[in-house]
Amino acid sequence: MNQPTRGALHHVEIWVSDLDRAIFSFGWLLEALGYTKFQHWKDGRSWRLGATYLVLEQSPALTADGHDRCRPGLNHLAFHVEDATDVEELVAEAAHHGWHLMFPDQHPHAGGKQHYAAYLESDDGFEIELVAITSPNEGESD
């Protein structure tokens, strides 16, 4: 495990209404991004990359049955991916794992001309952004 840096994220915990469905969508994506399975218990799972881990939990303390990214709280998670090819390969495979491309008419520049990314939404309404570390438009000016 990598030594953490002061201020770096330790973990993110996401409460889900259907753990099996979340494992199907998030589990695939996290493993495709290089995370490894970390913890496993009756109501949850976690995956780790370096010193940071992400938890999915179907907590018995849930007070609602669905996620709404437009309410106060978490809107989305954004992950670095290698390049435009990596973005597109993940988008193509994501459709088989409960993810849908958001803003398809603006893809891959929904975040602006200099930002090559895919915005995906899960069947449960969670949003993930996959951002190319190197963009085909790097160095271009308007």
Side-chain angles (χ1 to χ4, degrees), residues 95-110:
H96 303 292
H97 298 277
W99 295 98
H100 314 281
L101 184 63
M102 302 172 72
F103 322 114
D105 57 326
Q106 299 174 50
H107 176 73
H109 299 292

PDB file of all heavy atoms in Angstrom, residues 95-110:
ATOM      1  N   ALA A  95     -21.784   0.312 -20.660  1.00  0.00           N
ATOM      2  CA  ALA A  95     -23.177   0.052 -21.039  1.00  0.00           C
ATOM      3  C   ALA A  95     -23.612  -1.365 -20.668  1.00  0.00           C
ATOM      4  O   ALA A  95     -24.801  -1.615 -20.473  1.00  0.00           O
ATOM      5  CB  ALA A  95     -23.355   0.283 -22.536  1.00  0.00           C
ATOM      6  N   HIS A  96     -22.662  -2.272 -20.527  1.00  0.00           N
ATOM      7  CA  HIS A  96     -22.967  -3.661 -20.158  1.00  0.00           C
ATOM      8  C   HIS A  96     -22.996  -3.862 -18.638  1.00  0.00           C
ATOM      9  O   HIS A  96     -23.196  -4.985 -18.169  1.00  0.00           O
ATOM     10  CB  HIS A  96     -21.936  -4.618 -20.767  1.00  0.00           C
ATOM     11  CG  HIS A  96     -21.844  -4.512 -22.245  1.00  0.00           C
ATOM     12  ND1 HIS A  96     -22.855  -4.903 -23.097  1.00  0.00           N
ATOM     13  CD2 HIS A  96     -20.858  -4.013 -23.035  1.00  0.00           C
ATOM     14  CE1 HIS A  96     -22.492  -4.672 -24.344  1.00  0.00           C
ATOM     15  NE2 HIS A  96     -21.290  -4.133 -24.332  1.00  0.00           N
ATOM     16  N   HIS A  97     -22.761  -2.772 -17.896  1.00  0.00           N
ATOM     17  CA  HIS A  97     -22.658  -2.873 -16.439  1.00  0.00           C
ATOM     18  C   HIS A  97     -23.552  -1.861 -15.721  1.00  0.00           C
ATOM     19  O   HIS A  97     -23.238  -1.448 -14.595  1.00  0.00           O
ATOM     20  CB  HIS A  97     -21.203  -2.699 -16.001  1.00  0.00           C
ATOM     21  CG  HIS A  97     -20.315  -3.764 -16.554  1.00  0.00           C
ATOM     22  ND1 HIS A  97     -20.175  -5.008 -15.965  1.00  0.00           N
ATOM     23  CD2 HIS A  97     -19.557  -3.797 -17.677  1.00  0.00           C
ATOM     24  CE1 HIS A  97     -19.360  -5.734 -16.687  1.00  0.00           C
ATOM     25  NE2 HIS A  97     -18.973  -5.033 -17.732  1.00  0.00           N
ATOM     26  N   GLY A  98     -24.640  -1.458 -16.369  1.00  0.00           N
ATOM     27  CA  GLY A  98     -25.603  -0.590 -15.709  1.00  0.00           C
ATOM     28  C   GLY A  98     -25.301   0.893 -15.749  1.00  0.00           C
ATOM     29  O   GLY A  98     -25.887   1.660 -14.991  1.00  0.00           O
ATOM     30  N   TRP A  99     -24.396   1.312 -16.616  1.00  0.00           N
ATOM     31  CA  TRP A  99     -24.063   2.730 -16.764  1.00  0.00           C
ATOM     32  C   TRP A  99     -24.583   3.252 -18.092  1.00  0.00           C
ATOM     33  O   TRP A  99     -24.575   2.536 -19.090  1.00  0.00           O
ATOM     34  CB  TRP A  99     -22.546   2.935 -16.705  1.00  0.00           C
ATOM     35  CG  TRP A  99     -21.939   2.588 -15.399  1.00  0.00           C
ATOM     36  CD1 TRP A  99     -21.315   1.418 -15.077  1.00  0.00           C
ATOM     37  CD2 TRP A  99     -21.899   3.390 -14.217  1.00  0.00           C
ATOM     38  NE1 TRP A  99     -20.884   1.454 -13.771  1.00  0.00           N
ATOM     39  CE2 TRP A  99     -21.227   2.652 -13.226  1.00  0.00           C
ATOM     40  CE3 TRP A  99     -22.355   4.673 -13.915  1.00  0.00           C
ATOM     41  CZ2 TRP A  99     -21.006   3.152 -11.946  1.00  0.00           C
ATOM     42  CZ3 TRP A  99     -22.136   5.164 -12.635  1.00  0.00           C
ATOM     43  CH2 TRP A  99     -21.470   4.414 -11.666  1.00  0.00           C
ATOM     44  N   HIS A 100     -24.987   4.517 -18.119  1.00  0.00           N
ATOM     45  CA  HIS A 100     -25.515   5.160 -19.324  1.00  0.00           C
ATOM     46  C   HIS A 100     -24.762   6.472 -19.539  1.00  0.00           C
ATOM     47  O   HIS A 100     -24.537   7.230 -18.584  1.00  0.00           O
ATOM     48  CB  HIS A 100     -27.009   5.447 -19.168  1.00  0.00           C
ATOM     49  CG  HIS A 100     -27.756   4.270 -18.621  1.00  0.00           C
ATOM     50  ND1 HIS A 100     -28.123   3.194 -19.409  1.00  0.00           N
ATOM     51  CD2 HIS A 100     -28.162   3.970 -17.367  1.00  0.00           C
ATOM     52  CE1 HIS A 100     -28.741   2.301 -18.659  1.00  0.00           C
ATOM     53  NE2 HIS A 100     -28.770   2.746 -17.416  1.00  0.00           N
ATOM     54  N   LEU A 101     -24.405   6.744 -20.778  1.00  0.00           N
ATOM     55  CA  LEU A 101     -23.696   7.980 -21.106  1.00  0.00           C
ATOM     56  C   LEU A 101     -24.629   9.172 -20.948  1.00  0.00           C
ATOM     57  O   LEU A 101     -25.726   9.206 -21.503  1.00  0.00           O
ATOM     58  CB  LEU A 101     -23.164   7.913 -22.547  1.00  0.00           C
ATOM     59  CG  LEU A 101     -22.317   9.098 -23.008  1.00  0.00           C
ATOM     60  CD1 LEU A 101     -21.042   9.210 -22.180  1.00  0.00           C
ATOM     61  CD2 LEU A 101     -21.991   8.950 -24.493  1.00  0.00           C
ATOM     62  N   MET A 102     -24.189  10.145 -20.182  1.00  0.00           N
ATOM     63  CA  MET A 102     -24.925  11.385 -20.018  1.00  0.00           C
ATOM     64  C   MET A 102     -24.433  12.375 -21.076  1.00  0.00           C
ATOM     65  O   MET A 102     -23.294  12.287 -21.526  1.00  0.00           O
ATOM     66  CB  MET A 102     -24.674  11.978 -18.621  1.00  0.00           C
ATOM     67  CG  MET A 102     -25.063  11.043 -17.482  1.00  0.00           C
ATOM     68  SD  MET A 102     -24.534  11.661 -15.860  1.00  0.00           S
ATOM     69  CE  MET A 102     -25.681  13.029 -15.653  1.00  0.00           C
ATOM     70  N   PHE A 103     -25.265  13.302 -21.459  1.00  0.00           N
ATOM     71  CA  PHE A 103     -24.902  14.360 -22.410  1.00  0.00           C
ATOM     72  C   PHE A 103     -24.297  13.800 -23.698  1.00  0.00           C
ATOM     73  O   PHE A 103     -23.255  14.263 -24.162  1.00  0.00           O
ATOM     74  CB  PHE A 103     -23.931  15.364 -21.779  1.00  0.00           C
ATOM     75  CG  PHE A 103     -24.202  15.672 -20.333  1.00  0.00           C
ATOM     76  CD1 PHE A 103     -23.294  15.310 -19.345  1.00  0.00           C
ATOM     77  CD2 PHE A 103     -25.376  16.309 -19.952  1.00  0.00           C
ATOM     78  CE1 PHE A 103     -23.544  15.584 -17.999  1.00  0.00           C
ATOM     79  CE2 PHE A 103     -25.628  16.596 -18.612  1.00  0.00           C
ATOM     80  CZ  PHE A 103     -24.713  16.232 -17.643  1.00  0.00           C
ATOM     81  N   PRO A 104     -24.913  12.786 -24.315  1.00  0.00           N
ATOM     82  CA  PRO A 104     -24.305  12.148 -25.492  1.00  0.00           C
ATOM     83  C   PRO A 104     -24.087  13.117 -26.651  1.00  0.00           C
ATOM     84  O   PRO A 104     -23.136  12.935 -27.424  1.00  0.00           O
ATOM     85  CB  PRO A 104     -25.297  11.045 -25.860  1.00  0.00           C
ATOM     86  CG  PRO A 104     -26.572  11.424 -25.209  1.00  0.00           C
ATOM     87  CD  PRO A 104     -26.209  12.205 -23.980  1.00  0.00           C
ATOM     88  N   ASP A 105     -24.917  14.147 -26.763  1.00  0.00           N
ATOM     89  CA  ASP A 105     -24.757  15.115 -27.851  1.00  0.00           C
ATOM     90  C   ASP A 105     -23.539  16.020 -27.650  1.00  0.00           C
ATOM     91  O   ASP A 105     -23.096  16.680 -28.595  1.00  0.00           O
ATOM     92  CB  ASP A 105     -26.021  15.967 -28.002  1.00  0.00           C
ATOM     93  CG  ASP A 105     -26.406  16.704 -26.729  1.00  0.00           C
ATOM     94  OD1 ASP A 105     -26.174  16.158 -25.625  1.00  0.00           O
ATOM     95  OD2 ASP A 105     -26.932  17.829 -26.828  1.00  0.00           O
ATOM     96  N   GLN A 106     -22.970  16.036 -26.452  1.00  0.00           N
ATOM     97  CA  GLN A 106     -21.794  16.858 -26.157  1.00  0.00           C
ATOM     98  C   GLN A 106     -20.545  16.018 -25.890  1.00  0.00           C
ATOM     99  O   GLN A 106     -19.470  16.566 -25.662  1.00  0.00           O
ATOM    100  CB  GLN A 106     -22.072  17.741 -24.941  1.00  0.00           C
ATOM    101  CG  GLN A 106     -23.216  18.701 -25.147  1.00  0.00           C
ATOM    102  CD  GLN A 106     -23.539  19.430 -23.856  1.00  0.00           C
ATOM    103  OE1 GLN A 106     -22.663  19.977 -23.194  1.00  0.00           O
ATOM    104  NE2 GLN A 106     -24.798  19.412 -23.479  1.00  0.00           N
ATOM    105  N   HIS A 107     -20.698  14.704 -25.881  1.00  0.00           N
ATOM    106  CA  HIS A 107     -19.579  13.804 -25.571  1.00  0.00           C
ATOM    107  C   HIS A 107     -18.522  13.888 -26.647  1.00  0.00           C
ATOM    108  O   HIS A 107     -18.842  13.907 -27.819  1.00  0.00           O
ATOM    109  CB  HIS A 107     -20.094  12.361 -25.451  1.00  0.00           C
ATOM    110  CG  HIS A 107     -19.023  11.364 -25.222  1.00  0.00           C
ATOM    111  ND1 HIS A 107     -18.373  11.239 -24.014  1.00  0.00           N
ATOM    112  CD2 HIS A 107     -18.457  10.464 -26.055  1.00  0.00           C
ATOM    113  CE1 HIS A 107     -17.478  10.288 -24.115  1.00  0.00           C
ATOM    114  NE2 HIS A 107     -17.488   9.812 -25.335  1.00  0.00           N
ATOM    115  N   PRO A 108     -17.269  13.938 -26.312  1.00  0.00           N
ATOM    116  CA  PRO A 108     -16.609  13.818 -25.012  1.00  0.00           C
ATOM    117  C   PRO A 108     -16.210  15.163 -24.395  1.00  0.00           C
ATOM    118  O   PRO A 108     -15.351  15.215 -23.528  1.00  0.00           O
ATOM    119  CB  PRO A 108     -15.364  13.011 -25.342  1.00  0.00           C
ATOM    120  CG  PRO A 108     -14.977  13.547 -26.693  1.00  0.00           C
ATOM    121  CD  PRO A 108     -16.295  13.817 -27.397  1.00  0.00           C
ATOM    122  N   HIS A 109     -16.840  16.245 -24.853  1.00  0.00           N
ATOM    123  CA  HIS A 109     -16.442  17.574 -24.374  1.00  0.00           C
ATOM    124  C   HIS A 109     -17.552  18.285 -23.620  1.00  0.00           C
ATOM    125  O   HIS A 109     -17.658  19.506 -23.669  1.00  0.00           O
ATOM    126  CB  HIS A 109     -15.953  18.429 -25.550  1.00  0.00           C
ATOM    127  CG  HIS A 109     -14.761  17.849 -26.241  1.00  0.00           C
ATOM    128  ND1 HIS A 109     -13.520  17.765 -25.649  1.00  0.00           N
ATOM    129  CD2 HIS A 109     -14.621  17.284 -27.461  1.00  0.00           C
ATOM    130  CE1 HIS A 109     -12.668  17.185 -26.480  1.00  0.00           C
ATOM    131  NE2 HIS A 109     -13.307  16.879 -27.585  1.00  0.00           N
ATOM    132  N   ALA A 110     -18.382  17.524 -22.896  1.00  0.00           N
ATOM    133  CA  ALA A 110     -19.458  18.148 -22.114  1.00  0.00           C
ATOM    134  C   ALA A 110     -18.898  19.080 -21.043  1.00  0.00           C
ATOM    135  O   ALA A 110     -19.580  20.003 -20.613  1.00  0.00           O
ATOM    136  CB  ALA A 110     -20.338  17.071 -21.487  1.00  0.00           C
TER     137      ALA A 110
END
